[in-house]
Amino acid sequence: MLGLMQDWPLLCHRIIDHAARIHAGREVVTRSVEGPIHRTNYAEIRGRALKLAQRLDRQGIRLGDRVATLAWNTWRHLEAWYGIMGIGAVCHTVNPRLFPDQIAWIINHATDRIVMTDITFVPILEKIAGRLPSVERYVVLTDGAHMPRTSLKNAVAYEDWIAEADGDFAWKTFDENTAAAMCYTSGTTGDPKGVVYSHRSNVLHSMIVNNADALGAGSKDTLLPVVPLFHANSWGTAFSAPSMGTRLVMPGARLDGASVYELLSGEKVTFAAGVPTVWLMLLQHMETDNLKLPDLKVVICGGSAMPRSIIKAFDDMGIEVRHAWGMTEMSPRGTVGALQGAFSHLKGDARLDRLQMQGYAPFMVEMKLTDDAGNELPWDGKTPGRLKVRGPAISAAYYRVDDDILDEEGFFDTGDVATLDSYGYLRITDRSKDVIKSGGEWISSIDLENLAVGHPKVAEAAVIGLPHPKWGERPLLIVQVKPGESVTREEMLDFMDGKIAKWWMPDDVAFVDSIPHTATGKILKAALREQFKG
Ligand code: AMP
């Protein structure tokens, strides 16, 4: 017997329809790429997204065609998302921080037909445009007055382009499993891999994000997604905020501490989401002038492990810190570290210990831990294993790659090594390829890095395994000190002594001017291994 309920496909544009109907006047505020603060609302965003959809349709963009964006978080970029998806085309967010060669590779692999770009990235595109045969037109996300002179093919200012449409247009309808968006993961080795989100997965993922213990921002809240729209599906914020009527503040191109503070404070932001580097810059800025953020309630931090010092700084200000873990392949939400009832009374170090874990899985994310042979490991908070995940917003395959990426039970191997405890709290100890194996036992590079950055003079730290004749591998600590400071090897090792098992102590400490990062802000360990080999 089947249920007798309506068949209502879960389509992304239904979210902006809902926002425009129920939360029409709710503001979307942007620090525009051109400079001034710009204000619009969900009803206007929907109207203009429809014009874009109509213009794309007139251009001959059809179901399944890819349209790329290289853009900061702005209202125009948000309109592009809904306009592209609303006709069943695929919104391909490209990370402009990648090397130009990688950007070219990705656009060619996706065979994007149109590229929508901020003024900022026009010079990058001009350098590679000759190698992008699939691109028919470049749309620059600005108005006629700010349109740069450019050699890009059929370049047009977005405002002029959508002005050619009257907006008398209806979204297309199609199966909810139709592709809505794609995003390439910037693997540190091998070619980037295309993750393809469906309308259904995006809508369900926004429900995961809206969970009170996940992001959980409501219609009374104001959200500042510092996380870019081009990072891992914007962490779901582009769907979750309009679905809830949450007021949005978009930071544009300026993500430094002072600029983020100005928006958080001036726009009375209550929820904010971003990577640890962003919060580090914000806290440094606030510390210098002893600034406060009385309106900010919740900070979500993920993308890489959140240092304890950042957690403590927010916690001391009475701001709830939620450490989140996820990945592009998971849309990206995996876990969020809100305190469960059993832990809400915790104080001091015990509280920080719990907050420093990566949190637990919300409904619709299933997890298991296995050894290398695929045998399940216990959720005892101690035994590290390969972390595998399953759910309706998790990848089943990569774009144009034939490899089977799921195990026989349909779980995807995240490539992370972690422990889970009986409450489901996750602790990421490593990437499987970064793990250090000493005498057959695993040493967590993340734990060592977290400890090292706790030293007041250290700006950033990375730990890699170096081959060792007796132990297989031993840890090397690589340190970048804060500007104007100096630390010795002995000071570093003394600082760590007693806080970790003796056999975890790094064999040596190296000092570098700067630690290399990937385009998504993660430490580029492959480069460090290369630099320190031998
Ligand atoms: P990406 O697909 O670029 O978002 O990268 C996903 C990877 O980032 C994960 O597989 C983890 O290795 C790492 N990652 C994300 N969030 C965290 C976190 N909170 N703590 C530690 N590692 C994280």
Side-chain angles (χ1 to χ4, degrees):
M1 185 168 132
L2 292 177
L4 296 175
M5 290 293 135
Q6 298 178 9
D7 184 16
W8 192 85
L10 303 177
L11 300 176
C12 294
H13 41 275
R14 292 198 141 137
I15 291 178
I16 201 70
D17 284 349
H18 170 79
R21 164 82 55 193
I22 308 291
H23 308 286
R26 207 66 180 127
E27 257 189 329
V28 175
V29 182
T30 302
R31 186 195 296 287
S32 67
V33 177
E34 295 86 355
I37 297 289
H38 174 275
R39 290 173 197 277
T40 180
N41 59 44
Y42 285 128
E44 286 174 3
I45 298 251
R46 176 182 181 272
R48 285 162 49 90
L50 268 170
K51 283 185 162 197
L52 173 63
Q54 186 179 18
R55 190 63 193 79
L56 287 164
D57 184 62
R58 193 183 302 165
Q59 185 75 21
I61 299 296
R62 296 286 173 260
L63 194 80
D65 286 346
R66 273 80 60 205
V67 177
T69 65
L70 257 91
W72 301 109
N73 288 10
T74 69
W75 81 101
R76 289 188 182 118
H77 196 179
L78 192 64
E79 289 165 6
W81 275 45
Y82 283 101
I84 296 165
M85 296 180 202
I87 54 169
V90 183
C91 176
H92 172 201
T93 52
V94 181
N95 183 345
R97 292 178 185 143
L98 293 169
F99 296 118
D101 280 350
Q102 282 174 305
I103 295 179
W105 189 94
I106 285 173
I107 290 177
N108 284 328
H109 191 264
T111 55
D112 296 320
R113 288 187 58 189
I114 291 187
V115 174
M116 304 184 70
T117 176
D118 272 328
I119 311 171
T120 328
F121 311 118
V122 167
I124 299 178
L125 286 167
E126 283 174 338
K127 282 200 199 94
I128 57 174
R131 289 186 274 146
L132 306 177
S134 64
V135 180
E136 296 156 29
R137 179 187 275 278
Y138 293 83
V139 179
V140 184
L141 292 161
T142 190
D143 54 19
H146 294 89
M147 180 69 182
R149 287 176 68 88
T150 171
S151 59
L152 291 175
K153 195 197 296 177
N154 295 323
V156 61
Y158 173 78
E159 295 295 340
D160 294 344
W161 206 50
I162 62 168
E164 292 170 16
D166 60 12
D168 183 15
F169 188 73
W171 304 123
K172 308 273 182 195
T173 349
F174 34 78
D175 188 281
E176 64 181 16
N177 288 301
T178 303
M182 66 195 300
C183 184
Y184 281 73
T185 63
S186 52
T188 41
T189 52
D191 289 332
K193 294 187 192 70
V195 172
V196 183
Y197 308 109
S198 67
H199 282 259
R200 173 187 153 85
S201 73
N202 272 341
V203 172
L204 290 175
H205 182 260
S206 71
M207 303 293 107
I208 297 177
V209 174
N210 290 345
N211 194 312
D213 280 349
L215 176 67
S219 62
K220 292 191 281 295
D221 287 305
T222 296
L223 168 70
L224 175 71
V226 191
V227 52
L229 289 164
F230 57 76
H231 261 194
N233 203 19
S234 79
W235 295 5
T237 56
F239 302 113
S240 117
S243 79
M244 294 301 292
T246 305
R247 184 168 167 265
L248 261 182
V249 178
M250 300 295 234
R254 284 168 49 188
L255 308 181
D256 58 284
S259 304
V260 169
Y261 177 81
E262 193 181 275
L263 286 180
L264 288 171
S265 165
E267 297 297 331
K268 298 194 184 315
V269 170
T270 57
F271 280 69
V275 295
T277 322
V278 161
W279 303 129
L280 204 63
M281 292 190 297
L282 173 77
L283 290 168
Q284 276 167 2
H285 171 75
M286 290 177 69
E287 208 175 271
T288 324
D289 293 328
N290 195 21
L291 300 169
K292 302 269 178 297
L293 285 170
D295 299 294
L296 190 58
K297 291 193 298 198
V298 175
V299 166
I300 309 274
C301 179
S304 44
M306 188 178 195
R308 196 176 179 95
S309 53
I310 301 186
I311 299 176
K312 185 168 182 331
F314 281 121
D315 201 50
D316 287 349
M317 285 191 265
I319 296 168
E320 189 181 339
V321 181
R322 295 185 187 167
H323 188 183
W325 165 87
M327 59 196 311
T328 308
E329 289 88 334
M330 299 180 74
S331 294
R333 190 51 47 238
T335 56
V336 188
L339 290 179
Q340 289 178 6
F343 306 113
S344 51
H345 65 282
L346 290 179
K347 299 257 180 306
D349 274 340
R351 179 181 170 82
L352 295 178
D353 287 346
R354 191 47 65 174
L355 288 172
Q356 200 168 358
M357 299 175 87
Q358 275 83 356
Y360 61 98
F363 175 58
M364 292 196 269
V365 177
E366 281 185 87
M367 298 186 158
K368 69 175 178 183
L369 281 183
T370 76
D371 61 18
D372 287 341
N375 304 308
E376 280 213 41
L377 295 171
W379 290 29
D380 59 7
K382 294 195 302 258
T383 314
R386 287 172 165 272
L387 178 62
K388 299 181 179 171
V389 291
R390 186 166 73 174
I394 298 174
S395 292
Y398 292 111
Y399 183 59
R400 290 173 55 199
V401 175
D402 285 335
D403 302 351
D404 193 359
I405 62 168
L406 306 183
D407 71 8
E408 56 287 352
E409 290 178 317
F411 280 81
F412 168 77
D413 189 337
T414 62
D416 285 329
V417 178
T419 62
L420 286 163
D421 72 9
S422 57
Y423 295 88
Y425 273 83
L426 175 77
R427 209 168 59 82
I428 300 286
T429 56
D430 255 303
R431 291 290 295 162
S432 52
K433 58 181 184 300
D434 293 341
V435 89
I436 301 166
K437 237 179 181 177
S438 177
E441 300 285 348
W442 283 347
I443 296 178
S444 161
S445 65
I446 293 185
D447 283 356
L448 293 181
E449 287 158 9
N450 278 338
L451 183 56
V453 291
H455 190 290
K457 292 180 180 167
V458 171
E460 200 172 11
V463 172
I464 57 170
L466 290 184
H468 188 280
K470 180 171 177 197
W471 300 110
E473 273 183 332
R474 291 295 302 154
L476 169 72
L477 171 63
I478 300 161
V479 169
Q480 177 187 335
V481 291
K482 287 184 180 162
E485 301 284 4
S486 71
V487 196
T488 63
R489 172 185 185 276
E490 284 63 37
E491 264 180 81
M492 270 324 294
L493 294 178
D494 279 353
F495 175 77
M496 299 174 83
D497 194 21
K499 300 187 178 97
I500 41 168
K502 274 260 174 289
W503 62 278
W504 277 39
M505 281 296 275
D507 277 14
D508 207 352
V509 186
F511 295 91
V512 293
D513 293 339
S514 79
I515 286 181
H517 290 102
T518 67
T520 50
K522 297 184 204 328
I523 295 173
L524 196 52
K525 294 211 175 165
L528 289 173
R529 274 192 286 267
E530 185 58 30
Q531 187 180 342
F532 287 97
K533 84 175 170 212

